[in-house]
Amino acid sequence: MGKQQVGMRLKEVVYTLSPFEQNVMAGLFKDIPHKVMHHLKQNVLFDAIPFCVLPIAGIGWFCSDYIEKEKQHHRY
């Protein structure tokens, strides 16, 4: 039995980095203020609803429920 070639040799270039030279988290923290302002300018409505309107509505609901419980406390 002779040697058989298992696969065909592809002519392609593969670019890789050494594990010692990779900096995976570098782009995450680069220019944070610009990224935050860009996000806030594009999504003002979607940011305002969960972070402004819902907490105010939740506090109002809690206060009205607490006052109602104080009114009804003597009945139970």
Side-chain angles (χ1 to χ4, degrees), residues 30-74:
K30 185 179 178 183
D31 199 22
I32 292 272
H34 179 265
K35 288 180 181 178
V36 169
M37 288 306 295
H38 179 72
H39 175 74
L40 289 176
K41 286 179 183 176
Q42 284 189 341
N43 301 320
V44 173
L45 180 64
F46 295 114
D47 289 339
I49 290 173
F51 296 115
C52 297
V53 176
L54 289 180
I56 292 171
I59 291 169
W61 174 79
F62 176 78
C63 292
S64 64
D65 186 56
Y66 185 79
I67 291 170
E68 191 63 32
K69 283 182 181 178
E70 278 187 339
K71 287 182 195 176
Q72 303 295 327
H73 176 71
H74 68 281

Side-chain angles (χ1 to χ4, degrees), residues 2-19:
K3 292 184 179 180
Q4 294 179 341
Q5 191 173 8
V6 176
M8 292 184 62
R9 194 160 211 195
L10 299 175
K11 294 181 181 181
E12 63 182 37
V13 178
V14 178
Y15 294 99
T16 60
L17 289 175
S18 167

